[in-house]
Amino acid sequence: ETGVTQSPTHLIKTRGQQVTLRCSSQSGHNTVSWYQQALGQGPQFIFQYYREEENGRGNFPPRFSGLQFPNYSSELNVNALELDDSALYLCASSLGTGGSNQPQHFGDGTRLSIL
Amino acid sequence: AQSVTQLGSHVSVSEGALVLLRCNYSSSVPPYLFWYVQYPNQGLQLLLKYTSAATLVKGINGFEAEFKKSETSFHLTKPSAHMSDAAEYFCAVSDFKGSYIPTFGRGTSLIVHP
């Protein structure tokens, strides 16, 4: 069973640039969620995709957007990067949604640094 | 709205001592509750989950947690700490309505002294 993989592991960008982070979900999982984890904080929910449709969104501005592909892999795109976007971005996959109590399986994250 | 409070940003114990990490939650409906562990430079790994079955939940690596509705608590314990338990621990709550979207606490760093 292949776990959740994220790429790249580290990334350095400057203010105003755009970034795309990628996630391959665990085999058999059809739901992907993205989180932002600032240093010393818990993960903050960005959004979730279920079968290629956005299925919930946290308190993040529209410059944070995403996609889910037919193979259930996913991308997180962030436009007009700001210094406060520096964080660890975590992807988590799970099976099912709509009240499912299935736990999420996390990747090791992408560390994004904004200069 | 659901929320989670983890008391103590750092907890320090000696190897072999009892581990107690505190978590209190608020939720308008019976919640699902989770504990995750995060080792340096890694993602989160599920330790255990409560989903309205037994109130005492046993997880991996010898950890367990007890759901106490009257106290709105879900504290994590382990009888005897190992050096390898040193990590960041996160409590999370998810209301059973709509999508499964957990809210995480700010985390507690467990330090284990030899």
Side-chain angles (χ1 to χ4, degrees):
Chain A
E1 173 176 275
T2 305
V4 178
T5 57
Q6 294 186 240
S7 62
T9 55
H10 295 84
L11 202 51
I12 299 174
K13 291 284 188 179
T14 57
R15 288 172 56 188
Q17 286 189 309
Q18 178 267 343
V19 69
T20 298
L21 309 182
R22 294 179 175 83
C23 171
S24 293
S25 58
Q26 182 165 317
S27 178
H29 287 183
N30 55 12
T31 301
V32 172
S33 302
W34 285 91
Y35 295 85
Q36 181 194 67
Q37 186 179 16
L39 200 60
Q41 304 291 320
Q44 297 293 313
F45 174 72
I46 302 176
F47 42 58
Q48 182 183 85
Y49 280 84
Y50 171 62
R51 294 184 175 179
E52 304 178 59
E53 297 286 333
E54 188 176 289
N55 189 44
R57 188 179 181 92
N59 189 26
F60 281 81
R63 60 190 185 84
F64 285 78
S65 64
L67 283 173
Q68 187 180 31
F69 300 99
N71 66 355
Y72 302 132
S73 65
S74 178
E75 289 182 353
L76 164 65
N77 299 288
V78 187
N79 294 321
L81 287 166
E82 301 177 358
L83 293 178
D84 285 348
D85 295 334
S86 294
L88 180 68
Y89 287 84
L90 294 166
C91 170
S93 72
S94 57
L95 180 61
T97 185
S100 168
N101 66 358
Q102 294 302 312
Q104 298 183 325
H105 296 254
F106 285 80
D108 288 341
T110 293
R111 175 73 62 185
L112 176 63
S113 299
I114 311 301
L115 303 180
Chain B
Q2 59 193 27
S3 67
V4 173
T5 301
Q6 291 185 241
L7 297 176
S9 59
H10 295 81
V11 170
S12 181
V13 300
S14 298
E15 190 173 21
L18 171 71
V19 175
L20 171 60
L21 304 182
R22 300 179 186 274
C23 173
N24 289 89
Y25 69 92
S26 68
S27 174
S28 58
V29 298
Y32 294 147
L33 293 160
F34 305 82
W35 276 99
Y36 285 86
V37 61
Q38 186 177 34
Y39 297 100
N41 300 313
Q42 293 186 22
L44 278 67
Q45 179 184 3
L46 180 69
L47 281 175
L48 50 80
K49 65 178 182 180
Y50 167 76
T51 56
S52 74
T55 57
L56 183 62
V57 182
K58 294 189 182 296
I60 63 172
N61 302 339
F63 284 95
E64 63 182 35
E66 186 173 7
F67 172 68
K68 292 187 176 180
K69 183 178 179 180
S70 61
E71 299 178 7
T72 60
S73 69
F74 191 57
H75 302 330
L76 182 71
T77 60
K78 182 174 180 178
S80 177
H82 295 164
M83 296 295 292
S84 60
D85 293 328
E88 192 81 16
Y89 291 80
F90 293 94
C91 181
V93 62
S94 175
D95 287 355
F96 183 69
K97 54 181 179 180
S99 301
Y100 165 68
I101 300 172
T103 298
F104 287 84
R106 295 185 65 172
T108 297
S109 178
L110 177 64
I111 302 163
V112 182
H113 298 286

